[in-house]
Amino acid sequence: MEVVHVAGRIVRSKTAERVTELLGSREGRKHLSQYGWVEGMPVVMSESQEALEDVMALVSVHGRAVLVAMLDPRSADPLFLHVSAPNPALSIVNSVAQGTGIGALFEAAEHEGMMTFRVKYWKYSAVAHLIPAYRATATEAQLSYRN
């Protein structure tokens, strides 16, 4: 869940906070842009146990490539998948098993690199690739290049 309303205020998820922090830095934006992110690209927040179909429903709303973000359950670092829109030019693959979590797609992309996948309500397949986690260099950690 990305945003929760609590007594007249908005509480953001830890994933949203970490993504905002990364996109708020020049280095973070540069890193993501090397793997296909562009200014204004939608980012869908997720948690590893969320159903893949539910996350891809949010991806579908945008009708274009998006980043899917989640926190690494081991390190709490933000992880990103670049997910294309479903495309008729791609081979149609079998749909992912119902009940599969988004974390499983992140794991598969980590092992396979760029991968073609499909969820049951998509007519066409899409491509996903994992963006390597951003690690600030010692110099970047000492300096602040915000905005």
Side-chain angles (χ1 to χ4, degrees):
M1 182 182 308
E2 179 182 349
V3 177
V4 178
H5 295 280
V6 178
R9 25 180 218 169
I10 296 177
V11 178
R12 297 180 72 176
S13 70
K14 193 64 173 170
T15 304
E17 288 176 12
R18 297 294 306 275
V19 168
T20 299
E21 180 181 296
L22 187 63
L23 288 173
S25 73
R26 184 180 307 163
E27 298 86 2
R29 291 189 304 270
K30 180 180 177 185
H31 173 76
L32 293 174
S33 69
Q34 292 172 340
Y35 298 95
W37 174 81
V38 293
E39 187 76 34
M41 178 181 271
V43 179
V44 174
M45 307 300 166
S46 67
E47 294 183 16
S48 63
Q49 73 279 4
E50 283 186 85
L52 176 63
E53 292 175 350
D54 293 346
V55 176
M56 291 306 127
L58 293 173
V59 168
S60 295
V61 168
H62 298 288
R64 62 182 183 142
V66 304
L67 292 185
V68 175
M70 75 171 205
L71 294 183
D72 185 331
R74 300 168 299 242
S75 67
D77 288 333
L79 298 175
F80 296 90
L81 270 180
H82 183 284
V83 179
S84 74
N87 188 324
L90 297 171
S91 297
I92 298 174
V93 298
N94 291 331
S95 61
V96 177
Q98 191 168 358
T100 300
I102 185 67
L105 186 63
F106 273 83
E107 287 178 22
E110 182 177 12
H111 296 307
E112 295 182 33
M114 192 167 287
M115 59 179 288
T116 304
F117 75 101
R118 187 173 66 85
V119 292
K120 72 176 184 176
Y121 55 86
W122 284 356
K123 183 176 181 179
Y124 303 112
S125 301
V127 174
H129 68 88
L130 186 67
I131 296 175
Y134 172 71
R135 304 269 190 250
T137 64
T139 303
E140 290 169 348
Q142 290 177 346
L143 301 174
S144 177
Y145 292 117
R146 303 289 175 210
N147 303 320

